[in-house]
Amino acid sequence: MERRLFGKTGMEVSVLGFGGSEIGYEHTSSATVDKLLGAAMDEGLNVVDTAACYVDSEEKIGAAVRHHRSQLYLFSKCGHASGLPSADWTRETIRDSIDRSLHRLRTDYIDLMQLHTCSSQVLADGSVVEELIRAKEAGKVRFIGYSGDHDTALQAVEMGVFDALQTSINIADQRVLEDVLPAAVERQMGVIAKRPIANAAWKSKELPSNSYHHVYWQRLREIDYDFLHGNLEEGVATALSFTLSCPGVSVAIVGTSNPGRWKQNALLLNERNLSEQEYRAIREQYLAVAKPDWVGQT
């Protein structure tokens, strides 16, 4: 699997990363998580991204990779109390959440710790950012980042203190390409694309039952890309190739509870390289239809 330099961190990351939200929210068994991460590593993946609030995702990942720590970059997120006695977005919560993540992930350092979609006011206050910087200075985390979308993502980038940004980038969500990504590239930040295939929302002919997919389903109906009317795998390959072609993107985070999906993902990447002309065509079709309220989806 292709690897890219992650901003100015020096880390060389696989272009696909494992997203840990599904295994927590879907209560995936520990045995399946072992198979998932083993299959992902067999395909060359070296990035695992999770969060303190993804139920028991950190614990399951920590158990699965305990003998492979040196082969992986572990990314997590903090800010929500998620069972801690303190409130969201306090210094105490940041400190205790990082310590809890270290314990859950069975490691003495985390490669990237990200503030998890906090508000503009929290960023402006600065106290939780200072706590995150303290954790970096103490060696608990190697690098710090912000995970979020639209105006707060740009605010976080312009603060100049974060090493990385995780934000939504896909065929249905391209606003960040106009301002946020150029600013992140200028500051040599590592960029993580979440929702890189727009949740494959187009695969449903009717409005999906899961409201999480509604916004992208509606947008894609309006944009009406030709490549989404054919084979599903070809559509996924084109969508994923588009996201990985966006300037500055280092890694795309993909979540699944199907161990066999990682070989399929690797094959899709090997078989589908988007040309510059194809990339421009997708951008132009999006821009011709996109409305002012099509902001990034958290």
Side-chain angles (χ1 to χ4, degrees):
M1 187 178 295
E2 178 191 353
R3 295 191 177 184
R4 297 179 179 179
L5 197 61
F6 193 65
K8 58 185 177 184
T9 67
M11 293 189 289
E12 291 189 357
V13 296
S14 53
V15 292
L16 288 186
F18 177 86
S21 63
E22 288 187 40
I23 62 172
Y25 292 129
E26 295 183 4
H27 307 291
T28 306
S29 71
S30 295
T32 300
V33 174
D34 287 346
K35 292 178 182 177
L36 274 168
L37 286 168
M41 291 176 66
D42 286 345
E43 298 306 323
L45 178 145
N46 72 350
V47 172
V48 177
D49 180 82
T50 183
C53 65
Y54 294 164
V55 196
D56 57 356
S57 174
E58 287 184 320
E59 291 98 325
K60 288 173 178 173
I61 289 169
V65 306
R66 63 190 183 280
H67 300 307
H68 308 284
R69 178 66 182 94
S70 63
Q71 299 170 248
L72 292 168
Y73 294 123
L74 293 180
F75 296 176
S76 195
K77 308 179 194 76
C78 63
H80 303 292
S82 304
L84 293 172
S86 49
D88 291 349
W89 306 115
T90 63
R91 285 181 181 272
E92 183 181 7
T93 292
I94 298 298
R95 182 193 67 225
D96 294 346
S97 183
I98 291 172
D99 288 342
R100 181 176 61 182
S101 293
L102 288 166
H103 175 73
R104 288 173 168 178
L105 290 166
R106 304 192 189 190
T107 184
D108 55 1
Y109 68 94
I110 292 168
D111 294 288
L112 176 68
M113 181 58 73
Q114 305 154 85
L115 290 182
H116 200 177
T117 316
C118 67
S119 68
S120 174
Q121 291 77 16
V122 168
L123 285 175
D125 173 74
S127 60
V128 296
V129 178
E130 290 173 3
E131 197 62 39
L132 204 58
I133 292 171
R134 285 198 182 109
K136 181 178 179 180
E137 292 172 345
K140 295 180 180 181
V141 303
R142 294 178 62 204
F143 302 102
I144 62 175
Y146 177 77
S147 177
D149 295 275
H150 39 85
D151 293 342
T152 52
L154 183 58
Q155 180 183 353
V157 169
E158 291 179 340
M159 289 174 70
V161 299
F162 295 109
D163 302 299
L165 171 71
Q166 180 166 170
T167 194
S168 297
I169 309 170
N170 55 62
I171 56 173
D173 208 339
Q174 300 180 34
R175 185 165 175 177
V176 293
L177 301 182
E178 299 163 25
D179 48 16
V180 179
L181 251 62
V185 169
E186 183 181 352
R187 289 164 177 78
Q188 296 182 277
M189 297 173 70
V191 175
I192 305 162
K194 60 177 178 171
R195 291 182 164 195
I197 59 170
N199 306 125
W202 69 88
K203 67 183 178 182
S204 175
K205 300 301 181 185
E206 304 295 333
L207 185 69
S209 57
N210 186 344
S211 61
Y212 184 74
H213 304 306
H214 286 183
V215 170
Y216 284 166
W217 185 86
Q218 291 163 345
R219 288 185 188 179
L220 290 171
R221 296 267 293 186
E222 293 186 52
I223 302 170
D224 197 28
Y225 295 114
D226 287 342
F227 62 86
L228 299 185
H229 293 293
N231 178 273
L232 177 60
E233 285 196 356
E234 291 177 4
V236 168
T238 299
L240 185 57
S241 295
F242 171 80
T243 298
L244 288 171
S245 297
C246 294
V249 171
S250 304
V251 53
I253 297 299
V254 178
T256 181
S257 54
N258 176 7
R261 184 67 63 193
W262 290 106
K263 181 173 283 293
Q264 294 174 16
N265 287 340
L267 288 172
L268 289 177
L269 282 181
N270 289 334
E271 293 172 358
R272 185 70 173 100
N273 290 313
L274 212 63
S275 69
E276 185 176 342
Q277 183 177 0
E278 289 173 314
Y279 173 83
R280 285 201 308 270
I282 291 173
R283 283 287 289 139
E284 289 168 3
Q285 190 166 351
Y286 173 89
L287 291 170
V289 176
K291 297 177 174 57
D293 63 350
W294 283 19
V295 297
Q297 297 299 292
T298 55

